[in-house]
Amino acid sequence: QVQLHESGGGLVQAGGSLRLSCAASGRTFSSYRMAWFRQAPGKAREFVATISRNGGSTFYADSVKGRFTISRDNAENTVYLQMNILKPEDTAVYYCAAGPYYSTDRENMYDYWGKGTLVTVSS
């Protein structure tokens, strides 16, 4: 079992940057594909990015491609989301999730979720 805790959210102006972190408990972090999802006010949760177990493969939603970068440090049991050129439409609660190696951009494939961290981008 994995417990996930996100941090790094906050208020930032449009065009700015933030780095989110997700710390995982347990000794099996490297066996999970990790992902970030987000949920904007009044909207359904949506996929943001995912990274393979060894960090060699990443996949992004079109809306964040070229602006966001997902990475992981298996020695530190942590996954990151570097967010650059932030836009007001990036405002959301950001969640990290852990799932089996074959998980994709579908949230029902992920077994473990953090409680989220709020990112607010002002215009």
Side-chain angles (χ1 to χ4, degrees):
Q1 192 160 354
V2 177
Q3 292 185 328
L4 304 173
H5 178 71
E6 303 94 338
S7 62
L11 174 64
V12 63
Q13 288 188 333
S17 298
L18 277 178
R19 188 195 197 201
L20 305 184
S21 299
C22 173
S25 66
R27 294 175 292 178
T28 59
F29 175 75
S30 60
S31 67
Y32 292 96
R33 171 173 282 273
M34 299 299 296
W36 288 94
F37 289 79
R38 67 185 182 185
Q39 187 167 22
K43 295 187 177 181
R45 189 155 57 185
E46 65 175 5
F47 168 77
V48 175
T50 186
I51 188 167
S52 60
R53 291 174 294 175
N54 66 0
S57 175
T58 58
F59 180 70
Y60 298 90
D62 287 343
S63 58
V64 306
K65 200 174 296 182
R67 300 188 297 122
F68 290 12
T69 302
I70 187 172
S71 61
R72 67 189 295 163
D73 185 337
N74 287 343
E76 295 294 329
N77 283 9
T78 303
V79 62
Y80 303 97
L81 185 68
Q82 177 66 43
M83 307 186 294
N84 299 328
I85 318 176
L86 282 160
K87 304 175 181 180
E89 51 264 43
D90 295 318
T91 294
V93 176
Y94 283 72
Y95 300 89
C96 73
Y101 70 94
Y102 51 82
S103 301
T104 60
D105 57 349
R106 294 168 56 186
E107 64 175 278
N108 62 2
M109 301 186 78
Y110 291 85
D111 301 313
Y112 303 104
W113 293 81
K115 294 184 177 180
T117 185
L118 176 63
V119 172
T120 303
V121 184
S122 64
S123 57

